[in-house]
Amino acid sequence: MSEPVLKGREEYGPHFVQSVARALSVMRSFTAQRRSQTLTEVARQTGLDRATARRLLLTLADLGYVASDGRAFELTPRTLELGYAYLSSMSLPEIAQPHLQSLARELNETAALAVLDGEEIVYVSLVQSTRLMAVKISVGTRFDAYTTSMGRVLLAGLPDAELDERFARLKLEARTDHTIRSTRTLRDEIDRVRKQGWSLVDSELEEGLRGAAAPVRDRGGQVVAAANVSVHAGRTTPELVERDYIPMILRTVRLIEADLVSAVAR
């Protein structure tokens, strides 16, 4: 995942409050791989000096968003409040949930819904399979968009100009031996996803994890989310996923879109 990047008034304008950006960068420096960090580690990840990082961490601790054992810091469950207002105001996850439940039950696999946030996807709805997953995911989990089926569907839904801008600053990292390493190859793949209306990613995010996704569009035809199914590669093949799973994902997406249009019309 991308590291926090601090920008200032020269980037955003005179309204920009640097202290807010710095506090958010401190919170974003904590990830699934860095659940607990020392002051030195937080300073390194954010690019802040130790004194500034310390003041921000202690302020976040006073507010209940960070806890410390005297040496290391970690986020607390209170941080969930920051995302709850957004999620609770969205009708889409609530609309999608029963359809994802049906999809997960029919396939006995994990089904999810994600949206695009910067260079990453964010899970906003999830139905976990009883089968073990190679990657631990939950609502709020983030992954680099280019490594996932949902991310590629969401990227494919962007206008060409915006997609060009993203590719100009994109840095590809190999998560596995199968991860696409060439921006040209990735762009060709996204163009293919646009034409066929779905994406299949095989062991690019995690070895042995296969994902298939399709776009969810609003009544104006704009891609607003992506729905997917994740399966262990040992239980199926790409050909079987394309033949058996993708038609069911596309059907699920149509049902979500129909309910979304109905909800907007009410």
Side-chain angles (χ1 to χ4, degrees):
M1 271 180 263
S2 57
E3 303 295 345
V5 176
L6 293 179
K7 301 175 182 178
R9 292 186 176 185
E10 64 278 5
E11 176 76 16
Y12 296 112
H15 64 277
F16 190 77
V17 181
Q18 188 77 51
S19 58
V20 175
R22 288 173 172 171
L24 291 173
S25 76
V26 166
M27 297 181 73
R28 291 191 65 220
S29 72
F30 293 89
T31 68
Q33 293 74 36
R34 296 192 300 269
R35 294 179 182 275
S36 178
Q37 298 187 93
T38 64
L39 170 60
T40 299
E41 289 169 335
V42 171
R44 183 171 62 248
Q45 292 298 329
T46 59
L48 298 169
D49 60 71
R50 284 172 53 87
T52 301
R54 181 176 180 275
R55 289 197 303 272
L56 291 169
L57 283 166
L58 293 178
T59 299
L60 290 170
D62 289 341
L63 296 173
Y65 293 111
V66 168
S68 174
D69 60 5
R71 177 182 178 276
F73 298 84
E74 60 182 28
L75 298 181
T76 71
R78 176 167 284 190
T79 57
L80 296 174
E81 294 177 352
L82 301 176
Y84 179 76
Y86 169 71
L87 290 175
S88 62
S89 68
M90 285 183 67
S91 60
L92 183 54
E94 184 178 0
I95 288 170
Q97 189 70 12
H99 298 296
L100 295 177
Q101 289 171 341
S102 297
L103 180 63
R105 185 170 54 250
E106 289 181 69
L107 295 175
N108 194 21
E109 303 289 0
T110 295
L113 188 81
V115 297
L116 191 63
D117 182 23
E119 314 305 321
E120 300 170 328
I121 63 164
V122 183
Y123 283 73
V124 296
S125 190
L126 177 70
V127 181
Q128 290 273 25
S129 166
T130 55
R131 295 171 170 175
L132 294 177
M133 287 291 298
V135 179
K136 292 183 179 179
I137 52 177
S138 59
V139 171
T141 292
R142 291 171 171 266
F143 291 120
D144 290 321
Y146 70 88
T147 63
T148 68
S149 60
M150 288 193 286
R152 290 182 188 175
V153 160
L154 291 164
L155 291 172
L158 296 175
D160 282 331
E162 184 174 350
L163 193 57
D164 289 340
E165 290 178 5
R166 288 173 180 266
F167 266 77
R169 60 178 183 266
L170 184 62
K171 296 180 180 179
L172 301 182
E173 296 181 7
R175 296 272 310 217
T176 74
D177 290 340
H178 303 280
T179 307
I180 289 179
R181 293 171 171 81
S182 161
T183 54
R184 181 66 265 171
T185 302
L186 180 62
R187 186 59 183 262
D188 289 343
E189 176 62 19
I190 290 175
D191 288 342
R192 188 162 72 92
V193 169
R194 276 181 174 175
K195 293 175 183 177
Q196 66 188 16
W198 51 267
S199 174
L200 174 58
V201 173
D202 192 2
S203 296
E204 294 193 46
L205 174 67
E206 189 80 12
E207 195 69 48
L209 181 66
R210 189 169 287 142
V216 177
R217 301 177 184 274
D218 61 17
R219 65 187 305 170
Q222 181 178 353
V223 175
V224 293
N228 110 311
V229 169
S230 299
V231 302
H232 192 280
R235 292 198 294 269
T236 185
T237 65
E239 292 76 19
L240 287 176
V241 171
E242 182 175 345
R243 187 192 73 187
D244 298 335
Y245 286 38
I246 288 174
M248 297 181 70
I249 297 171
L250 292 171
R251 183 196 66 186
T252 299
V253 162
R254 288 194 294 270
L255 293 172
I256 294 172
E257 290 174 341
D259 283 357
L260 183 60
V261 169
S262 297
V264 172
R266 286 200 294 268

